[in-house]
Amino acid sequence: MTNFIVKKVAVLGAGVMGAQIAAHCINAKVPVVLFDLPAKEGPKNGIVLRAIENLKKLSPAPLGNKDHAALIEVANYEDNLDLLAGCDLIIEAIAERMDWKHDLYKKVAPHIAPNAIFASNTSGLSITTLSEGFDADLKSRYCGVHFFNPPRYMHLVEIIPTAATKPEIADQLEGFLTTTLGKGVVRAKDTPNFIANRVGVFGILAIVHEAEKFGLSCDVVDDLTGAKLGRAKSGTFRTADVVGLDTMGHVIKTMQDYLPNDPFAAVYKTPAVLAKLVEKGALGQKTGAGFYKKVGKEIQRLDFSTGEYVAGGGKAADIVARILKEKDPVKKMKALRESTNPQAQFLWAIFRDAFHYIAIHLDTVADNAREIDFAMRWGFGWNVGPFETWQAAGWSQVATWVKEDIDAGHALCNAPLPAWVFEGPVAEKGGVHTPEGSYSAISKSFVPRSTLAVYERQQFRAPVFGAGVADGKTAGTTVFEDDSVRLWHSGDEVLVISLKTKMHVIGDGVIKGLKLALEEAAKNFKGLVIWSADAAEGGAFSAGADLQSALPAFMQGGAKAVDPIIRELQDTFMAMKYSNVPVVAAVAGLALGGGCEMALHASKRVASIESYIGLVEVGVGLIPAGGGLKEAAVRAFKEAKGSDILQFLKTGFTNAATANVSKSALEAQAMGYLKEDDVIVFNAYELLHVAKVEARAMFDKGYRPPMKAPVQVTGRYGYGTIKAQLVNMRDGGFISAHDFKLGEMIAEIVSGGDIDQGSFVSEQWFLDMERKAFLELLNHPKSQERIMGMMQTGKPVRN
């Protein structure tokens, strides 16, 4: 076994993709050197320096912490090629020109280390052709690696080996991409546009064709093909605008140039409407106009017939929207096929076109059907892949319908479906995905999942419909389960509590579940992990306290009736903090308000890079009351180490008073919501594994809970100093009178209240102050306006 570790990466090309790939390596604490041409004027590395400066301005942010931009090493091809010798992975990411890439390769090849992996980040050029001119050794270490834009956020990376690529090279690269950079890897064949762009762009072209056929406008199509279909909210035409219509045109041209004999070649024709937009420079979002154009506050859509922009906002017909809400995929597909509504007929047509295409091309673009489904889910934001959709809707029946449409001349081409669709193992098993694996049209067998060691870190891998594997909602041995929580284990000495409430909000059931979990873990396990089964699929850690569930108590007995509820929440979080076995919070997604406080009271946090953590209670006119302000005061006292505590208190105060939420786990660390020794995981599928490893390691090292110690506070001095700043903000019109009141309350609590500077108080002192302020605000009309506004509209009320 070789222990391959990428110690340093070189990225060739500081364009949009190259710079962002470098940024994500820095997010993962992998040293990276970013190359580009020497600048003709100014500093020689000016092109790279400008690209790095631009990273700080991009939204969504490529860097988890903007300050880390300075960690990217700058280089140019004239002076710094010797730096390549110290790199284990070199990713070329220059413009999609075969001749330019070949010219660059001649320059860099002599400087590549003998064991380094060399890869091209291309969206569709032939990897085999790109490798021409290399010696046999470099050819064996060369492959394609296709990141999707933006690289930090898009889960998909395609690896494209050539016939000459050594298998261990692709395996080593897959391991690095999966664990270190947190990606979902799909192996693609070396065919034009690989898998996701090949299937995805065909899908877009089919949608444009069918939309014209059924007379549907782009806004209606986007409403039909967006969230209602379980795909990216932006739908089809809006997505094209975001990607860039020139980029779309480039990918389509690749298909035209390299797939002349494809049965669907006629569909690869650039749509006239797209060609006209590109010709006049309307390239989508980057030029301010494409299929859509923003005029003032109004978003207008392109009228295909006139080429003019008109009022948008068209939606799916009610009857079609109702069909799309049908939970049973068999009934849904049948209803779409049989409906006479043009929108429903359009939807059936685009499903049929996709099924027809992937069946015909399965043997050429991918090793098996699973790769196509994952490519579309991770690269194009589909909830369900095309083969999964077909299988769930009834494999044989749908296949018959597709055949009937082909025979009747309704399909986009007359090529028949392959024989394996109707006969043999796929027909017998009812689809391409089975517990044994997913169907390969090349080997005519079901191919199991990869057994690379990196996947041992994923207790629950990305599921695929029909595979019948256990998932985090049902797997393991259940110790206790109700509507709010599930306590379970996998026989590995760690108890897991999974929250089941909507957005994993914390109400009475969750609090009782946490208490039970703490008792059970202390008796029979080495640790407790708080983890949610949908963590890897974009679910929340916890969106906070369940205010809705506390309303009946408030309505009946006022704020006093809520007091025992808050007290119990505080006591439960304190029991977590001082538990005799380690409690590890496995954080991914939103950890807001009470969810943030729950994480703060754990013995340790293991957080996905995409964790959005913050105390947001001021948004509903309240203050944190589950110990969040207490923890800010404790943190400031510990960090001050005898110097002025107030200087260390400002961050905690500001975070809570402004409802500041981290935009990444790295930023959460800078904000103090995560500690320096907390673990940041880049692949959310590894979150549970790492959290369990941490819990067991803490126990095995002889874990004991922290000693209960008094906390030194700034008292009146700190409170008065912060209040003076708040007065200036209020009088200057920067905050409202109620914002001032909330800020004043937070300042009083984190400062320790009306006591002498340097006094020591207990944690309970802060908790009592939190609870008192929270209950006072519940009775305040302005806070009640904010609470009701949030419950009714989901948006904060400014008053």
Side-chain angles (χ1 to χ4, degrees):
M1 169 183 162
T2 56
N3 194 19
F4 175 79
I5 297 169
V6 174
K7 295 179 285 298
K8 190 171 187 180
V9 173
V11 178
L12 311 180
V16 174
M17 283 301 283
Q20 291 195 66
I21 291 167
H24 196 53
C25 288
I26 288 297
N27 289 337
K29 293 188 169 53
V30 178
V32 66
V33 53
L34 181 59
F35 281 82
D36 212 302
L37 294 163
K40 288 174 181 165
E41 294 173 4
K44 221 165 179 187
N45 290 319
I47 293 170
V48 177
L49 289 166
R50 281 193 297 278
I52 291 171
E53 202 52 38
N54 192 46
L55 288 171
K56 300 177 194 173
K57 301 171 192 166
L58 288 177
S59 180
L63 288 155
N65 183 333
K66 286 186 173 132
D67 295 343
H68 292 171
L71 300 175
I72 299 173
E73 192 177 348
V74 299
N76 67 77
Y77 304 127
E78 207 168 90
D79 301 334
N80 309 115
L81 288 177
D82 57 311
L83 293 175
L84 292 174
C87 297
D88 311 287
L89 171 61
I90 296 153
I91 300 172
E92 169 271 304
I94 69 167
E96 297 279 52
R97 283 268 304 265
M98 189 78 75
D99 53 341
W100 290 0
K101 288 180 189 279
H102 275 145
D103 287 346
L104 179 61
Y105 291 178
K106 282 173 196 158
K107 266 189 205 165
V108 301
H111 301 274
I112 295 172
N115 293 310
I117 297 173
F118 188 25
S120 174
N121 179 65
T122 172
S123 59
L125 295 178
S126 165
I127 307 301
T128 304
T129 309
L130 281 171
S131 71
E132 284 172 4
F134 291 167
D135 62 32
D137 176 56
L138 189 53
K139 265 188 186 176
S140 74
R141 292 182 280 122
Y142 180 78
C143 64
V145 56
H146 180 207
F147 285 83
F148 276 63
N149 193 17
R152 171 183 157 189
Y153 301 92
M154 295 302 288
H155 192 55
L156 179 66
V157 173
E158 294 173 319
I159 291 180
I160 311 97
T162 70
T165 309
K166 283 193 288 198
E168 60 266 31
I169 290 294
D171 291 350
Q172 288 167 353
L173 186 56
E174 183 164 348
F176 170 74
L177 292 167
T178 302
T179 283
T180 307
L181 298 190
K183 297 301 165 194
V185 171
V186 158
R187 300 278 184 109
K189 300 287 182 191
D190 188 12
T191 54
N193 292 340
F194 314 130
I195 299 176
N197 275 348
R198 175 80 174 270
V199 175
V201 171
F202 164 79
I204 291 169
L205 291 169
I207 285 169
V208 173
H209 176 90
E210 303 292 0
E212 287 178 343
K213 179 177 165 184
F214 289 100
L216 304 182
S217 59
C218 55
D219 49 355
V220 170
V221 168
D222 281 353
D223 192 50
L224 287 167
T225 60
K228 285 184 173 71
L229 217 58
R231 298 183 185 177
K233 282 183 193 170
S234 48
T236 303
F237 292 101
R238 179 79 190 115
T239 298
D241 271 0
V242 171
V243 168
L245 303 189
D246 51 341
T247 304
M248 276 283 302
H250 170 80
V251 178
I252 293 167
K253 188 169 188 315
T254 302
M255 293 166 90
Q256 291 167 2
D257 291 349
Y258 294 103
L259 296 166
N261 301 318
D262 189 303
F264 292 89
V267 184
Y268 302 154
K269 183 168 179 265
T270 306
V273 62
L274 179 68
K276 280 179 193 164
L277 286 169
V278 171
E279 194 180 316
K280 64 181 185 184
L283 306 179
Q285 188 170 276
K286 59 188 167 189
T287 59
F291 288 109
Y292 294 93
K293 181 180 182 182
K294 193 170 184 182
V295 181
K297 289 189 175 178
E298 185 189 12
I299 303 289
Q300 296 187 344
R301 68 165 175 87
L302 185 73
D303 183 316
F304 292 166
S305 57
T306 66
E308 302 296 319
Y309 290 95
V310 297
K315 299 281 182 191
D318 288 345
I319 188 168
V320 179
R322 282 199 298 275
I323 293 172
L324 292 177
K325 282 181 182 172
E326 169 60 57
K327 293 278 193 288
D328 183 339
V330 174
K331 289 179 182 172
K332 185 192 293 185
M333 196 65 74
K334 186 172 189 288
L336 290 175
R337 178 168 165 80
E338 292 177 354
S339 173
T340 55
N341 185 290
Q343 292 182 13
Q345 291 175 335
F346 159 79
L347 286 170
W348 158 252
I350 65 170
F351 276 126
R352 175 203 64 218
D353 298 341
F355 300 156
H356 190 187
Y357 193 79
I358 58 176
I360 281 178
H361 288 297
L362 176 58
D363 63 338
T364 55
V365 303
D367 179 55
N368 62 75
R370 184 175 52 247
E371 308 289 72
I372 289 179
D373 280 340
F374 282 150
M376 297 312 296
R377 278 162 50 177
W378 297 338
F380 276 77
W382 293 17
N383 289 350
V384 185
F387 274 120
E388 292 177 290
T389 303
W390 181 352
Q391 187 163 335
W395 182 269
S396 297
Q397 178 60 77
V398 170
T400 302
W401 287 337
V402 173
K403 181 181 184 302
E404 286 171 5
D405 276 19
I406 296 168
D407 293 346
H410 299 319
L412 292 179
C413 80
N414 59 10
L417 288 172
W420 61 259
V421 171
F422 297 102
E423 57 199 45
V426 171
E428 288 160 20
K429 301 273 187 184
V432 289
H433 301 305
T434 70
E436 306 99 89
S438 296
Y439 190 70
S440 166
I442 304 163
S443 65
K444 297 184 172 50
S445 64
F446 292 101
V447 177
R449 299 289 287 267
S450 167
T451 55
L452 287 178
V454 68
Y455 295 112
E456 291 169 15
R457 298 169 59 85
Q458 299 184 14
Q459 186 169 345
F460 304 109
R461 291 170 72 173
V464 62
F465 178 86
V469 294
D471 64 37
K473 290 178 183 172
T474 56
T477 302
T478 301
V479 174
F480 171 82
E481 186 167 15
D482 63 10
D483 291 342
S484 299
V485 299
R486 177 177 177 242
L487 275 56
W488 60 281
H489 66 89
S490 299
D492 51 11
E493 304 176 301
V494 178
L495 183 66
V496 181
I497 178 169
S498 297
L499 277 53
K500 293 171 59 182
T501 50
K502 187 177 181 184
M503 299 287 286
H504 307 140
V505 291
I506 303 163
D508 182 55
V510 168
I511 293 168
K512 284 186 169 63
L514 276 168
K515 282 179 163 178
L516 183 63
L518 289 166
E519 287 171 23
E520 181 64 27
K523 278 186 212 162
N524 299 312
F525 295 89
K526 287 187 172 182
L528 173 66
V529 168
I530 306 168
W531 172 84
S532 294
D534 57 358
E537 309 294 329
F541 174 70
S542 171
D546 185 3
L547 288 175
Q548 198 99 35
S549 70
L551 264 185
F554 177 72
M555 299 301 283
Q556 282 184 329
K560 277 185 182 174
V562 180
D563 183 60
I565 297 172
I566 304 301
R567 193 183 292 269
E568 190 174 20
L569 177 77
Q570 293 179 341
D571 290 348
T572 305
F573 286 171
M574 288 294 280
M576 276 175 54
K577 182 171 183 175
Y578 293 104
S579 164
N580 284 320
V581 292
V583 178
V584 177
V587 181
L590 298 175
L592 305 178
C596 172
E597 290 171 311
M598 180 162 64
L600 287 173
H601 284 83
S603 319
K604 191 158 197 171
R605 286 138 296 278
V606 171
S608 161
I609 175 71
E610 300 309 331
S611 293
Y612 313 113
I613 306 172
L615 297 170
V616 295
E617 285 82 355
V618 295
V620 287
L622 298 170
I623 59 107
L629 300 180
K630 165 184 70 72
E631 286 299 305
V634 171
R635 188 167 64 246
F637 166 52
K638 285 182 178 174
E639 288 174 350
K641 292 177 182 166
S643 57
D644 184 5
I645 295 169
L646 181 59
Q647 299 311 310
F648 295 88
L649 199 55
K650 284 179 179 174
T651 303
F653 164 77
T654 306
N655 288 340
T658 59
N660 197 5
V661 176
S662 74
K663 296 178 186 68
S664 72
L666 294 165
E667 194 175 69
Q669 219 161 27
M671 291 165 69
Y673 287 134
L674 296 178
K675 295 180 181 174
E676 279 304 310
D677 64 345
D678 285 336
V679 180
I680 296 176
V681 171
F682 276 66
N683 196 318
Y685 287 104
E686 297 183 357
L687 196 63
L688 180 59
H689 167 80
V690 177
K692 286 181 174 185
V693 166
E694 289 294 326
R696 281 194 299 267
M698 290 166 79
F699 183 91
D700 290 343
K701 281 190 286 189
Y703 177 80
R704 295 196 69 79
M707 299 283 283
K708 291 186 181 179
V711 183
Q712 192 175 34
V713 296
T714 59
R716 290 181 211 96
Y717 152 70
Y719 175 34
T721 306
I722 298 173
K723 187 175 176 181
Q725 292 171 348
L726 288 169
V727 168
N728 290 337
M729 291 178 74
R730 180 194 63 194
D731 294 351
F734 296 105
I735 58 173
S736 70
H738 197 53
D739 287 329
F740 172 80
K741 179 172 180 61
L742 293 164
E744 186 185 21
M745 283 179 150
I746 291 169
E748 184 178 13
I749 295 164
V750 296
S751 303
D754 187 15
I755 55 176
D756 293 340
Q757 180 183 0
S759 298
F760 282 87
V761 299
S762 68
E763 288 185 82
Q764 192 59 47
W765 174 271
F766 292 106
L767 293 173
D768 292 343
M769 290 178 75
E770 285 187 19
R771 203 169 61 254
K772 182 185 169 198
F774 186 89
L775 297 174
E776 182 189 326
L777 288 167
L778 274 182
N779 280 329
H780 198 293
K782 293 284 187 187
S783 286
Q784 289 173 1
E785 279 177 26
R786 290 194 183 188
I787 293 167
M788 294 315 293
M790 179 62 82
M791 285 182 170
Q792 286 164 6
T793 67
K795 293 176 183 172
V797 173
R798 306 307 305 159
N799 58 1

